[in-house]
Amino acid sequence: MSLTEVRHDSEVPGREALETATADLEAPFAVVDLDAFDRNAADLLRRAGGTPIRLASKSVRCRALIERALRAGLQGILAFTLPEALWLAEHGHDDLVVAYPTADRSALRALAAGPHERVTIMVDCAEHLDLAVAAVREAGGGPIRVCLDVDAGWWPLRGRVRIGARRSPVRTPEQAAALARAVLARGELHLDGLMSYEAHIAGVGDRPPGRPLMGAAIRAMQRASARELAGRRAAVVAAVREVAPLRFVNGGGTGSVERTAAEAAVTEVAAGSGLYGPTLFDAYGAFRPQPAALFALPVVRRPDGRTATLLGGGYPASGAAGADRLPAPHLPPGLKLDGQEGAGEVQTPLRGPGAAGLRVGDRVWMRHAKAGELCERFDRLHLISAGAVVDTVPTYRGEGECFL
Ligand SMILES: Cc1ncc(COP(=O)(O)O)c(C=O)c1O
């Protein structure tokens, strides 16, 4: 039977400290270690070297922690849907950029008639512009601020190989300038910024555990892609700035903060996952966020002497399905998911040397593979600092909000 790998990090509070802090809670529950969260925020800011960091809210999904990150020095929010951005605007936030295009006509009308000076939408084609124009004509108000999304993928071998997320069709300086002119031609719109997100660098760890050859290949790909992107991004930005001024040029993510921030054409980077420190970000060589977000599951049965079975736990992360998308046992050490059952809907059996000492009623501390998706499973986060729960705050889900 194959077992997925153990991941363990000795920097976070030990099991005893977590158990003491949360002794009054019934598992399952989720916590965020504020001390680790704050250190992670400081490390992101250090890595950015003075370039502002816009907070990717999808990777936090909890208003109290979004506000904490902004107090720590991140600036502005990269939202993930327009209804989310409108909701955050209602709660007093501004400088909201929606990172993905929208076809939500009623939200666009609400934007046009409402906080159109505080929210910027993402566009990469004429249809996006037409939807926003129609909303302004129907609802009044506006203009709606738009940000041009430019593809950051790497296309070696004359485009026969295409590496990167399938995002914007806009790739060249000429295409970007043409879209900028199309925005300017519509009085209902205002050209606000430009974004190009290099998912294959910012979100793909360059030291995958146990796979040195794959790691070497990823590092070579990322180096070559970053070189190509830096030149193309500068040319794209220059071409668009000849058409109209840009308030911001956004790029990057947790995995590429220092590299993207070093580009002169980029005025801000985005990041969010580095605050919670999920397992996918263990696979980077140059930095190591501390695991700040954890969830505790109760041991509910012992099918045999080598197995401890937890209640629930089937919270896989999005993306191409694979073992790296599964949650990982964190504490006590020496636990592995079962290769046949994985993390299950109603139960998660754990094997490994750590399992023998577990009793029914004990808890196992787990980590999610991605950051904000954990908050779709829990309606509150218990915030721990200096060995005690200091607050309990709702996630988006806990506020009754489900944006995706
Ligand atoms: C447009 C965009 N920018 C930045 C990020 C980086 O976010 P994180 O730092 O949470 O990985 C993402 C993540 O998917 C994204 O889609």
Side-chain angles (χ1 to χ4, degrees), residues 47-330:
R47 291 174 56 210
T51 298
I53 302 180
R54 184 178 290 279
L55 173 61
S57 64
K58 78 174 179 64
S59 302
V60 178
R61 302 193 201 196
C62 167
R63 281 198 301 121
L65 291 175
I66 287 174
E67 280 152 25
R68 189 177 185 92
L70 295 174
R71 284 197 302 275
L74 281 75
Q75 295 173 41
I77 295 176
L78 192 69
F80 58 108
T81 73
L82 180 53
E84 181 214 8
L86 295 174
W87 178 70
L88 289 173
E90 256 174 48
H91 284 285
H93 287 288
D94 54 18
D95 194 5
L96 292 142
V97 177
V98 183
Y100 317 98
T102 185
D104 183 334
R105 292 181 168 80
S106 50
L108 282 166
R109 285 193 295 270
L111 172 64
H116 56 84
E117 291 183 333
R118 293 192 282 148
V119 177
T120 303
I121 62 166
M122 198 59 53
V123 297
D124 66 33
C125 63
E127 287 90 331
H128 296 153
L129 306 187
D130 294 343
L131 280 163
V133 167
V136 174
R137 289 185 182 157
E138 287 161 25
I144 288 181
R145 295 176 175 225
V146 304
C147 176
L148 309 182
D149 193 347
V150 175
D151 180 71
W154 185 47
W155 293 7
L157 302 177
R158 297 174 194 269
R160 281 198 292 274
V161 175
R162 295 191 174 187
I163 292 172
R166 301 294 186 269
R167 296 174 61 105
S168 173
V170 177
R171 187 169 166 83
T172 65
E174 297 71 29
Q175 290 169 331
L179 187 59
R181 282 192 292 275
V183 172
L184 259 59
R186 290 158 162 90
E188 296 85 353
L189 307 180
H190 169 78
L191 180 60
D192 196 23
L194 185 146
M195 186 187 82
S196 62
Y197 170 56
E198 54 273 54
H200 56 294
I201 301 175
V204 178
D206 61 1
R207 308 255 171 201
R211 304 178 73 191
L213 291 180
M214 174 63 89
I218 291 172
R219 288 194 294 282
M221 173 277 285
Q222 291 180 337
R223 260 195 313 273
S225 173
R227 219 175 8 252
E228 184 276 337
L229 178 59
R232 185 161 51 85
R233 190 148 46 193
V236 164
V237 170
V240 172
R241 284 199 196 276
E242 275 184 24
V243 176
L246 292 169
R247 181 171 67 95
F248 64 88
V249 175
N250 181 287
T254 290
S256 75
V257 166
E258 48 280 89
R259 197 175 234 164
T260 310
E263 285 183 33
V266 170
T267 66
E268 60 176 46
V269 293
S273 302
L275 296 167
Y276 283 174
T279 62
L280 282 174
F281 288 87
D282 291 350
Y284 277 90
F287 66 97
R288 172 60 74 99
Q290 297 188 4
L294 305 172
F295 58 101
L297 300 178
V299 177
V300 287
R301 54 169 49 141
R302 297 292 318 269
D304 56 53
R306 299 184 311 152
T307 311
T309 299
L310 311 177
L311 179 69
Y315 316 150
S318 57
D324 65 345
R325 302 282 142 173
L326 295 177
H330 178 55

